[in-house]
């Protein structure tokens, strides 16, 4: 799925929203499952009248016109009347502001992040949305989501949303030109020392054989600071590091200084593209496809996608995904993703417990492969086909009707597939199996701050703090500043009372969630 085009921003005061949404009677929250719930989520004895369910979400493409046959089938199967409303991603801020101002929210509402819509968090505190914690276990397909997905999506130890599930791993791997390794008689680097050797060789030994000194080791984006992977692979932690139950910023750690020293040395040896300070993440593909660099850190599946482009110019090119190298302490460090993109809240004002259970039945069914494909792509063999490799291809007929993952798939949470970042339509099976092995080697470290609100000091000064840290990191790597300068900056933050208050509030949120 594409990242959200625009962060949500809600200007409505929490007081008005809470007053409206919380004005509902107390409902039974015991979590007792409906006896009609089955492994598919369909009701054995549907009510005579279908349950109306209104759902508002975002769309990255044009919304379908007219009623979709897939929705009709879902309605009949689950005895519901789905009323789907797609908001264009570019307009979602404006539309949600209007929706919230009207105080007439749908039964189910998409939310990207509580940090960007704090009024929703205030409403949660006042009981405006259902706590789903007691219910999920009664819906077998939703219950299959990894525990960490729900943990990361929870707020203050409770689950007020259905997360739109994504893999926890596969977003980090090392992409490397296997043909360059072979030409230079090198092996896949498994340690940082071996990585340094490979990066320098890619820069100095003409791996593309064109007789020109026009190649470098790695393409690293630095326009917004170094990517977290190139630091966390040294064992810095993920954004924050838990030390004996308390959080410290990852860049406080000695491992961060080790990482900066490593990349500074590599930069001097040509192991990093010299444009590093201004390169953006979107340019990684271009630099690899143009054979400017032979190493990058990106999604596992990106190696195959970029190699397809590479081979149009150089049929012998072979860009593959492999494990990232071990840190100096001999361990592998991967950052765990949140496991979701966006969340759905269920409005307690318009939804009683019986309707809540019906909504969860719907989402339980769309958390299966068949249910997800129906909701997203339409009718099998009419609107989409399933290839031998299991990938889905939308037919021209389906496209004409408006089915697409960018739109019709945005109202469902989906099913969990550990390997979805390992595959893409048309990928040869041997490459897919190699990618699976890469993901199977990963034992990732969760970010302890998922689900935590930003502290008050960070909301005021965070952008400035982040820029100072990121700028110094980039300058140390390219040699404009020294490691001593880095130490001085860290000390400045440790002496800054506002930053220390930020750390305290973040730890307070962390302890509250742990309860």
């Amino acid at each position: 799925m594409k990242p959200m085009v625009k962060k949500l921003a809600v200007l409505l005061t929490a007081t008005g929203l809470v007053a409206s949404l919380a004005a509902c009677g107390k409902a039974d929250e015991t979590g007792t499952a409906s006896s009609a719930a089955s492994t598919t989520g369909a009701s054995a004895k549907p009510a005579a009248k279908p349950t109306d369910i209104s759902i508002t979400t975002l769309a990255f493409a044009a919304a379908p016109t007219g009623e979709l046959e897939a929705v009709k089938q879902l309605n009949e199967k689950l005895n519901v009347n789905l009323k789907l409303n797609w908001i264009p991603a570019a307009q979602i801020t404006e539309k949600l502001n209007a929706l919230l101002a009207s105080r007439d929210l749908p039964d189910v509402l998409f939310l990207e992040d509580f940090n960007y819509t704090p009024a929703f968090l205030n409403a949660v505190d006042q009981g405006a949305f259902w706590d789903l914690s007691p219910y999920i276990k009664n819906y077998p397909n939703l219950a299959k989501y990894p525990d960490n997905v729900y943990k990361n999506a929870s707020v203050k130890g409770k689950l007020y949303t259905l997360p739109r599930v994504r893999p926890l791993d596969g977003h980090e791997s090392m992409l490397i030109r296997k043909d360059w390794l072979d030409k230079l008689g090198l092996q896949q680097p498994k340690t940082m020392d071996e990585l340094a050797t490979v990066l320098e060789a890619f820069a100095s030994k003409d791996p593309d054989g064109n007789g020109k000194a026009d190649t470098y080791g790695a393409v690293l984006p630095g326009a917004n600071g170094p990517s977290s992977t190139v630091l966390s692979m040294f064992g810095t932690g993920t954004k924050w590091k838990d030390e004996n139950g308390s959080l410290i910023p990852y860049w406080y750690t000695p491992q961060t200084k080790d990482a900066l020293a490593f990349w500074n040395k590599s930069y001097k040896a040509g192991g990093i593209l010299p444009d590093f300070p201004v390169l953006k993440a979107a340019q990684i593909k271009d630099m690899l496809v143009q054979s400017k660099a032979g190493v990058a850190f990106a999604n596992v599946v990106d190696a195959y996608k970029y190699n397809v482009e590479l081979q149009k110019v150089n049929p012998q090119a072979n860009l593959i995904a492999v494990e990232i190298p071990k840190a100096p302490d001999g361990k592998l460090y991967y950052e765990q993703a949140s496991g979701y993109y966006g969340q759905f809240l269920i409005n307690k004002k318009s939804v009683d417990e019986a309707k809540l259970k019906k909504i969860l039945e719907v989402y339980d069914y769309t958390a299966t492969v068949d249910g997800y494909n129906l909701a997203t792509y339409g009718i099998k063999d009419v609107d989409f086909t399933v290839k031998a490799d299991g990938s889905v291809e939308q037919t021209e007929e389906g496209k004409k009707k408006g089915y697409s993952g960018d739109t019709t798939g945005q109202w469902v949470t989906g099913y969990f597939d550990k390997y979805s970042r390992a595959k893409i339509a048309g990928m040869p099976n041997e490459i897919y199996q190699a990618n699976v092995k890469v993901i199977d080697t990963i034992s990732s470290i969760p970010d302890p701050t998922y689900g935590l609100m930003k502290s008050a000091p960070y909301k005021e000064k965070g952008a400035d703090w982040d820029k100072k840290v990121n700028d110094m990191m980039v300058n140390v790597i390219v040699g404009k500043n020294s490691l001593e300068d880095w130490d001085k900056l860290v000390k400045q933050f440790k002496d800054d009372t506002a930053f220390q208050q930020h750390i305290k509030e973040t730890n307070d949120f962390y302890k509250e969630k742990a309860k």
Side-chain angles (χ1 to χ4, degrees), residues 70-116:
V71 176
K72 291 181 181 178
Q73 290 196 14
L74 286 166
N75 286 340
E76 292 173 4
K77 181 179 182 64
L78 302 169
N79 195 38
V80 295
N81 179 24
L82 295 172
K83 300 177 181 179
L84 306 176
N85 178 38
W86 290 283
I87 298 176
Q91 302 173 19
I92 198 163
T93 299
E94 175 189 353
K95 296 292 186 181
L96 280 177
N97 277 332
L99 192 63
L100 289 167
S102 72
R103 301 181 185 179
D104 186 23
L105 295 180
D107 299 326
V108 183
L109 178 70
F110 171 85
L111 181 72
E112 187 184 29
D113 192 317
F114 282 113
N115 276 300
Y116 303 107

Side-chain angles (χ1 to χ4, degrees), residues 318-381:
N318 189 15
L319 183 70
I320 63 173
V322 298
E323 301 91 341
I324 61 176
K326 293 179 180 178
D329 65 4
K331 298 179 181 178
L332 280 172
Y333 292 99
Y334 286 87
E335 298 179 53
Q336 190 174 101
S338 66
Y340 65 92
Y341 165 61
Q343 302 158 272
F344 290 107
L345 299 105
I346 300 178
N347 183 2
K348 214 169 183 182
K349 178 183 178 182
S350 62
V351 176
D352 60 17
E353 188 181 37
K355 188 170 182 177
L356 169 68
K357 290 178 178 179
K358 178 59 70 173
I359 290 171
L360 291 177
E361 285 182 19
V362 172
Y363 277 95
D364 192 62
Y365 178 61
T366 58
T368 66
V369 175
D370 288 344
Y372 175 79
N373 285 347
L374 175 62
T376 302
Y377 304 114
I379 312 305
K380 186 178 180 182
D381 298 326

